[in-house]
Amino acid sequence: MSNPSYSVLVVDDEPSIGKLLKKELSSPARAVAAAETAHQAREMLRRNTYEVVVLDLRLPDADGLDVLVEIRQHSPDVEVIIITGHGNIDSAVEAMKLGAYDYITKPFNLEELELIVERAYQRACLRFENRQLKHAQNQGQPQQIVGNSAAIKQIRFLIDKVAPTDVPVLITGESGAGKEVAATAIQARSKRADKPYVIKNCATLQKELARSELFGYVKGSFTGAMENREGLMTFANKGTLFLDEIGELPMEVQASLLRTLENKTYRRVGDKDERTTDLRLIFATNRNLAKEVEAGRFHEALYHRINVFNIELPPLRERKEDIPLLVEYFLGRVQAGGTYRVSDRAMACLINYQWPGNIRELRNVIERGVILAENGVITENALPRELSMQTEGENDFLSLEAVEREHIAKVLACFANNRTLAATALGISRKTLYRKIREYAIM
């Protein structure tokens, strides 16, 4: 069995509940521990790392609200789910104000609790990664593949498999789909993670200077070559070279790159001697290279050599269930000194939009929305016209799915996230409500 992805601590003075939750919530991806007192919980939190705590409000040696405050102060990346009796709803609401992720009443539904625990874990991951970003020293973009869709899970699987190897990787997908993020995720999980990582967009290479920039040149090799100059191959030696938009590389340079891939050697412009290199190459393109080969615009042998392992990133419109998590991720990156959220109506607009610019466009929309936010809330009025005015054109009405998602979110908010009352008000079973919450990624 593989190591669990995350850990959950159950704090409840009834041993039977601790045993039940350890049995029912434990899985290959989730380790569950139990404590019966606040003192025991404090000791376990000091010794171990937990992403989620399931906390009973009534403990024999402390008030659950006090324990919640302690956890929020000393372990700000941990998400806390409150367990409460029906008579303590007011206390549960107070716990939400103090930073609890959610609450559930006794007797609780295990399926509902597991759903809440999983969503709390996703929130904990984002909270931790956002805190890391504030202390990051590098200037690069944070390399995180955000999402929980089947497509993104498959991308993570492929990255984990190919990263430890040295085979070339070709990442394909539309502009803005996150190809550089995927490339950097491969590098970060590789055996060369602590070695140089060089990124170059081939579209920015001047045709006449592309070869010299990649391989370097010697003094006097061409007009203006006043001294010896190293190229990207040298700078990335022992590490990883990521060539973005490889389809833009001039044909005459592609043959030299093929030689490097096959023989691990290259020659600087104007140099008689070959040099050896030890690097891992990752490529990306938004072009269909097979068609480029047919059209005579891309070297056929190079195409087959770099296409050893292909990772195709889906456009955002094909994984809309990831949009709420992406929105929260981008909000967490905003360095504006405030806390922001997106209104239900605005979220429906975001989910209904087709995103021709993919994740890059979504990031820009969120950054714009923060500037125009009203009291920390991004409403549909803060969105670009093509998103907010979706009811103007014949084909711009909100989809039934978007309307249903918005309505469910509003009903849940009206009943303070009580799923039982919300399901009754909606006229559906709790099981159906849980399924729709999962389907629409309602936080």
Side-chain angles (χ1 to χ4, degrees):
M1 182 181 294
S2 59
N3 292 330
S5 299
Y6 68 100
S7 298
V8 177
L9 175 62
V10 177
V11 187
D12 195 297
D13 62 342
E14 298 182 39
S16 58
I17 289 183
K19 291 179 180 179
L20 173 67
L21 295 186
K22 284 183 67 173
K23 177 183 177 182
E24 297 297 330
L25 295 181
S26 294
S27 73
R30 185 191 304 122
V32 182
E36 297 177 15
T37 65
H39 175 74
Q40 187 180 1
R42 292 186 186 105
E43 289 298 315
M44 295 177 73
L45 284 164
R46 272 196 289 267
R47 295 194 306 266
N48 306 289
T49 299
Y50 300 95
E51 285 75 21
V52 180
V53 173
V54 180
L55 174 65
D56 193 349
L57 278 179
R58 290 190 173 182
L59 296 172
D61 57 341
D63 186 299
L65 290 179
D66 293 336
V67 177
L68 168 64
V69 172
E70 290 178 27
I71 294 175
R72 300 303 302 141
Q73 289 177 345
H74 299 295
S75 304
D77 298 319
V78 176
E79 293 292 348
V80 181
I81 300 167
I82 296 297
I83 299 178
T84 182
H86 283 292
N88 294 321
I89 297 298
D90 290 342
S91 296
V93 173
E94 180 64 23
M96 297 287 287
K97 294 179 181 178
L98 292 173
Y101 174 76
D102 205 344
Y103 70 89
I104 188 168
T105 57
K106 292 181 180 180
F108 46 78
N109 180 289
L110 285 172
E111 182 182 358
E112 177 185 5
L113 178 57
E114 184 169 15
L115 173 65
I116 296 173
V117 166
E118 183 63 27
R119 295 212 177 282
Y121 167 61
Q122 294 176 14
R123 177 73 64 83
C125 288
L126 290 176
R127 185 190 297 275
F128 175 70
E129 285 153 356
N130 288 333
R131 284 170 61 84
Q132 281 188 316
L133 293 179
K134 295 179 181 179
H135 302 288
Q137 298 300 315
N138 60 67
Q139 300 298 314
Q141 292 292 328
Q143 304 307 328
Q144 179 186 357
I145 300 176
V146 177
N148 202 34
S149 62
I152 290 304
K153 288 180 179 178
Q154 176 66 8
I155 296 298
R156 291 197 188 99
F157 170 80
L158 293 175
I159 287 174
D160 287 341
K161 287 295 185 181
V162 77
T165 74
D166 270 339
V167 301
V169 179
L170 176 62
I171 305 171
T172 55
E174 295 180 4
S175 179
K179 297 186 289 296
E180 183 175 332
V181 173
T184 307
I186 293 172
Q187 189 271 341
R189 292 165 175 77
S190 74
K191 295 178 291 186
R192 302 171 184 263
D194 59 340
K195 301 297 189 296
Y197 178 46
V198 178
I199 301 173
K200 187 62 183 181
N201 188 325
C202 295
T204 66
L205 290 171
Q206 297 181 40
K207 185 175 181 179
E208 300 79 9
L209 300 177
R211 188 191 306 274
S212 60
E213 187 161 353
L214 279 179
F215 303 108
Y217 58 85
V218 297
K219 181 179 178 180
S221 56
F222 56 86
T223 303
M226 307 302 292
E227 60 184 355
N228 293 345
R229 182 70 61 87
E230 302 294 349
L232 299 180
M233 291 290 171
T234 302
F235 299 138
N237 194 38
K238 302 295 184 181
T240 302
L241 175 59
F242 171 45
L243 295 178
D244 198 2
E245 301 303 344
I246 186 63
E248 307 295 331
L249 192 67
M251 280 287 289
E252 55 268 26
V253 184
Q254 292 178 22
S256 299
L257 181 59
L258 174 62
R259 189 178 307 112
T260 299
L261 277 165
E262 292 182 335
N263 304 326
K264 300 294 184 182
T265 62
Y266 68 95
R267 184 183 288 113
R268 293 185 299 177
V269 176
D271 200 347
K272 297 179 180 179
D273 299 323
E274 283 193 335
R275 292 181 167 190
T276 60
T277 183
D278 173 22
L279 52 75
R280 204 270 182 81
L281 281 155
I282 303 175
F283 307 91
T285 182
N286 57 18
R287 291 191 180 190
N288 184 324
L289 292 187
K291 291 184 177 180
E292 293 295 298
V293 169
E294 291 178 4
R297 292 188 294 266
F298 199 83
H299 197 297
E300 183 176 6
L302 178 61
Y303 168 63
H304 292 303
R305 191 68 186 86
I306 69 176
N307 197 32
V308 174
F309 196 96
N310 175 232
I311 297 177
E312 184 174 359
L313 296 182
L316 185 55
R317 62 181 174 276
E318 293 181 5
R319 57 180 189 104
K320 290 188 174 182
E321 62 268 42
D322 291 332
I323 288 178
L325 279 176
L326 284 162
V327 168
E328 185 163 358
Y329 173 64
F330 290 133
L331 286 176
R333 288 181 51 200
V334 173
Q335 303 295 317
T339 301
Y340 299 88
R341 67 179 183 86
V342 176
S343 71
D344 293 336
R345 175 73 181 182
M347 183 63 76
C349 292
L350 295 175
I351 292 175
N352 195 49
Y353 185 58
Q354 291 303 302
W355 298 107
N358 291 295
I359 299 172
R360 183 184 296 121
E361 184 181 8
L362 174 60
R363 180 193 64 200
N364 294 340
V365 166
I366 295 303
E367 290 177 353
R368 177 185 191 272
V370 166
I371 295 172
L372 299 175
E374 303 169 13
N375 298 318
V377 179
I378 299 175
T379 67
E380 63 269 30
N381 295 327
L383 301 179
R385 192 174 189 277
E386 60 267 26
L387 277 78
S388 61
M389 304 299 289
Q390 295 187 68
T391 57
E392 287 190 352
E394 180 181 351
N395 298 318
D396 289 330
F397 292 100
L398 287 175
S399 67
L400 286 175
E401 288 185 353
V403 172
E404 185 176 60
R405 183 195 185 283
E406 181 181 1
H407 183 60
I408 290 174
K410 285 183 177 179
V411 172
L412 283 167
C414 180
F415 289 99
N417 250 11
N418 186 306
R419 272 72 167 176
T420 301
L421 295 178
T424 301
L426 289 165
I428 59 178
S429 67
R430 286 187 301 175
K431 184 176 181 180
T432 299
L433 178 59
Y434 301 149
R435 178 175 57 80
K436 289 185 178 294
I437 290 173
R438 187 182 298 110
E439 178 182 344
Y440 294 143
I442 299 174
M443 301 302 290

